[in-house]
Amino acid sequence: MFWATGWKPIVLAAAMLLASASSALAEEGVPTPGDLLAERLDERLGEQEVALQAFYAARDGRPAWQETATVAALANALRTLDADGLTPQDYRPDTLVAAHRQALAEQSSPAARARFDVQTSQTLLTALRHLQRGKVDPYRIDPGWEVPIEAPPLDLAAISQAVDARRFEQAFASARPSSASYERLRASLARYRHIARQGGWPMMPPRSQSLRPGELHDDVLLLRERLAILGELEVMAAGVSAGVEPQATEPRRYDERLVAAVERFQQRHLLEVDGIVGPRTRAALNVPVVTRIDQIRVNLERARWLLHGLPDSFVLVDIAGYRIRYFRPDGDVWRSRIVVGRPYRRTPSLRSSISHLTINPTWTVPPTILREDVLPRVRRNLGYLWQQDLMVLSPSGRRLDPRDVDWWRPGNVILRQRAGPRNALGRVVLRFPNDHLVYLHDTPAQALFAREQRAFSSGCIRVQGVLELAQHLFDDTGTEAEVSTLVAAGRTRNVHLERPVPVILHYWTVHPDEEGRLVFRPDVYQRDAALLEALDASPTR
């Protein structure tokens, strides 16, 4: 009570005296502490990056971090960045308050205060940049990366206002990708971390034989518990549904309800959906929850690379998910299956625009495929050329007799497959400029689309139902053409779209499906480990 009554007049009088003294100093032309801080702040900003200068310009040069409560609020906000798969300690929240106390100590200079202010603003902008564009530079871990990160500029005026109001979650939200997929990944990260805190899930013991529907086995009890924890099974570990009578069957019996749950699990892990717990399904069940958490974190980073500046209408190729989607101008989404490159002939990540289509294409065998695939077959059996309808051409395009070529030293011969039902490109090719010479195309090997994991090509993307996609592109771009008529004519020709359609080829090993549930894909190109290592590395300062 004495503080509330006895000291209050003294504090007010001291404050009035200090204000009067500062006013007198200003009138006499002597710099006030505030003037000195502003001068030192201005001096330090001259050496800083443009974004930092722009942040203070949005504040009219005012310092941002002189209030203890503001610094404490920032430290607390930085600790929440683990919800985005980032590492809060990268931003040193635990040292902020102590550093602020030291910078504002009684004997500290305006230069020390200015230095702390600029460093703390840099920390905030770094965190915002990581939320918006990712912490890891994709070019650093993937030399073939060709997807520019098209995040919009940060609204520094709004961020400055959020700092003054201590609403840092508002600032963070403005930097994150505004995407339902991103939010589902964040929610799933929280869910899997909760599972980890509860002890994770049980491991299925090794077994030489597959567990098949109808079997009676102790593994079934573990399987029930495993799927109940994950949420694939609507029954609890003991085999009881919420609000449903206990099952009459033996809990060790691999019954129909459990089979249906296993099939859902297989579908969401890109496994063959057969309800049989074989080696691959058992291996997927035994992936530890901490590994799944790392997978989600890695794909949150990939989402920060991609999910900004997306056009209203574009084609998205999901490489690891073996899927393609075309977001049409009218809001509809066309979906289909794809076949992508083998692990040693990877389909690249890139961003381009579909410019034209080739109808009834011929196929010129690329140098790598010629050297590594075709020539060994031709050397074993010259008849392979006739079987595949391959013409042998000189560099000038003159037709050659295959029997006159030394196939051990063929020189610069060209092999070209005529248009037709056996052509490797099928009946239509969707072309877009890129340095990898990949494209979307039809294929005579339709049976491969029935497989769940489909990395069988030499880098290009085979599309199931590509003729339908081609017609949608014609219709949506005002291109007067009928795919069926052009194909039936049998002539090889290029048809340019009236408007190019953006296309993005991207690699996700975890992504929400249409129902919002996560689908975990095998890391067919082994890209997750390098990204995780870079994501967990301490930032250089």
Side-chain angles (χ1 to χ4, degrees):
M1 289 299 294
F2 181 75
W3 168 254
T5 57
W7 285 101
K8 189 173 181 180
I10 299 174
V11 171
L12 289 174
M16 292 174 64
L17 183 61
L18 179 60
S20 176
S22 296
S23 176
L25 287 171
E27 288 177 3
E28 295 174 8
V30 178
T32 66
D35 293 334
L36 292 173
L37 174 58
E39 287 179 9
R40 299 298 175 266
L41 192 58
D42 188 60
E43 289 172 1
R44 293 197 66 84
L45 284 174
E47 305 169 358
Q48 302 300 322
E49 63 183 55
V50 172
L52 202 57
Q53 293 175 355
F55 172 71
Y56 280 98
R59 299 180 59 78
D60 296 324
R62 292 182 297 114
W65 310 103
Q66 301 302 301
E67 297 291 334
T68 302
T70 306
V71 175
L74 173 62
N76 290 333
L78 292 172
R79 294 186 184 101
T80 70
L81 292 179
D82 61 346
D84 291 270
L86 296 168
T87 303
Q89 291 311 310
D90 286 347
Y91 315 100
R92 303 182 183 180
D94 297 335
T95 65
L96 267 181
V97 175
H100 175 258
R101 189 180 303 115
Q102 182 178 356
L104 269 67
E106 185 176 346
Q107 301 300 320
S108 67
S109 64
R113 293 187 176 208
R115 180 169 57 252
F116 173 81
D117 211 277
V118 169
Q119 289 174 345
T120 306
S121 295
Q122 182 65 74
T123 296
L124 172 63
L125 292 180
T126 297
L128 291 171
R129 185 169 61 248
H130 289 176
L131 277 175
Q132 186 187 45
R133 304 173 61 87
K135 172 187 172 183
V136 179
D137 180 357
Y139 294 93
R140 203 178 91 212
I141 59 172
D142 182 3
W145 179 265
E146 289 187 22
V147 185
I149 299 175
E150 299 190 352
L154 291 169
D155 185 345
L156 295 178
I159 290 167
S160 174
Q161 293 171 6
V163 169
D164 290 340
R166 299 169 190 155
R167 295 176 180 170
F168 292 104
E169 177 51 39
Q170 178 180 315
F172 290 170
S174 71
R176 292 187 186 102
S178 57
S179 160
S181 294
Y182 189 83
E183 288 306 316
R184 286 168 181 162
L185 284 170
R186 289 184 79 233
S188 297
L189 178 60
R191 176 169 170 255
Y192 276 74
R193 279 178 167 158
H194 175 74
I195 292 173
R197 287 192 295 270
Q198 301 302 311
W201 45 60
M203 296 290 108
M204 301 285 291
R207 190 183 185 208
S208 58
Q209 296 180 333
S210 298
L211 182 63
R212 296 179 178 276
E215 281 192 47
L216 190 71
H217 198 279
D218 288 342
D219 281 3
V220 175
L221 296 174
L222 288 174
L223 186 60
R224 289 187 188 281
E225 182 182 358
R226 169 70 173 85
L227 294 178
I229 289 172
L230 190 61
E232 294 289 356
L233 186 63
E234 63 271 32
V235 298
M236 304 305 290
V240 181
S241 273
V244 178
E245 291 298 318
Q247 291 178 306
T249 59
E250 159 68 56
R252 296 169 62 248
R253 176 80 61 191
Y254 188 19
D255 57 29
E256 292 182 3
R257 181 179 292 179
L258 188 55
V259 170
V262 168
E263 289 176 345
R264 287 194 294 274
F265 177 89
Q266 290 173 327
Q267 185 176 24
R268 291 176 179 139
H269 291 74
L270 289 195
L271 300 165
E272 298 299 324
V273 181
D274 55 13
I276 298 171
V277 183
R280 295 180 70 179
T281 298
R282 189 175 291 260
L285 287 163
N286 282 341
V287 172
V289 65
V290 292
T291 301
R292 294 303 187 198
I293 288 170
D294 284 341
Q295 264 189 282
I296 297 170
R297 292 180 60 225
V298 160
N299 285 275
L300 276 163
E301 181 75 353
R302 290 186 174 121
R304 290 187 284 266
W305 293 343
L306 178 69
L307 297 180
H308 289 290
L310 294 178
D312 294 332
S313 176
F314 68 105
V315 173
L316 179 62
V317 174
D318 179 358
I319 299 169
Y322 309 108
R323 296 278 179 174
I324 185 172
R325 284 177 287 173
Y326 170 38
F327 297 87
R328 303 184 65 188
D330 61 4
D332 286 344
V333 181
W334 182 87
R335 298 177 173 87
S336 191
R337 294 183 162 213
I338 57 174
V339 171
V340 301
R342 300 180 184 94
Y344 58 90
R345 289 190 186 154
R346 301 176 178 184
T347 297
S349 297
L350 60 85
R351 190 167 188 158
S352 186
S353 292
I354 299 171
S355 57
H356 65 283
L357 282 63
T358 303
I359 308 297
N360 297 314
T362 60
W363 178 54
T364 300
V365 180
T368 300
I369 298 176
L370 176 63
R371 181 177 63 254
E372 297 179 5
D373 297 342
V374 176
L375 282 179
R377 292 185 174 96
V378 173
R379 288 164 183 160
R380 288 193 300 267
N381 175 19
L382 193 61
Y384 177 81
L385 295 170
W386 285 274
Q387 293 168 9
Q388 300 299 318
D389 200 17
L390 288 168
M391 299 181 293
V392 184
L393 307 174
S394 70
S396 64
R398 180 172 57 87
R399 185 81 175 268
L400 302 176
D401 187 331
R403 291 165 293 193
D404 296 335
V405 176
D406 180 357
W407 290 105
W408 292 98
R409 297 179 182 83
N412 294 324
V413 298
I414 297 169
L415 297 186
R416 182 168 296 152
Q417 191 177 43
R418 280 181 282 251
R422 289 187 294 172
N423 187 279
L425 304 182
R427 295 161 291 178
V428 65
V429 179
L430 281 58
R431 301 191 185 274
F432 42 92
N434 66 90
D435 292 338
H436 302 273
L437 302 179
V438 299
Y439 32 78
L440 305 168
H441 66 88
D442 189 18
T443 175
Q446 294 289 313
L448 292 178
F449 290 120
R451 309 280 282 276
E452 289 302 317
Q453 297 180 31
R454 300 182 291 278
F456 301 115
S457 83
S458 294
C460 289
I461 303 100
R462 307 173 191 172
V463 182
Q464 186 176 36
V466 70
L467 298 185
E468 184 180 4
L469 173 58
Q471 190 60 57
H472 286 327
L473 293 174
F474 285 157
D475 295 342
D476 294 344
T477 59
T479 305
E480 297 293 335
E482 291 291 334
V483 173
S484 58
T485 302
L486 293 171
V487 168
R491 184 165 66 90
T492 300
R493 59 174 296 184
N494 290 325
V495 181
H496 287 263
L497 297 178
E498 291 295 326
R499 295 188 304 276
V501 175
V503 59
I504 298 172
L505 281 57
H506 199 53
Y507 187 84
W508 308 88
T509 53
V510 182
H511 201 261
D513 62 13
E514 285 75 21
E515 300 172 0
R517 299 291 300 272
L518 289 194
V519 177
F520 289 90
R521 296 87 172 269
D523 183 14
V524 63
Y525 294 165
Q526 299 297 302
R527 288 176 171 168
D528 280 2
L531 177 50
L532 180 64
E533 181 180 0
L535 190 60
D536 285 341
S538 297
T540 56
R541 288 179 180 264

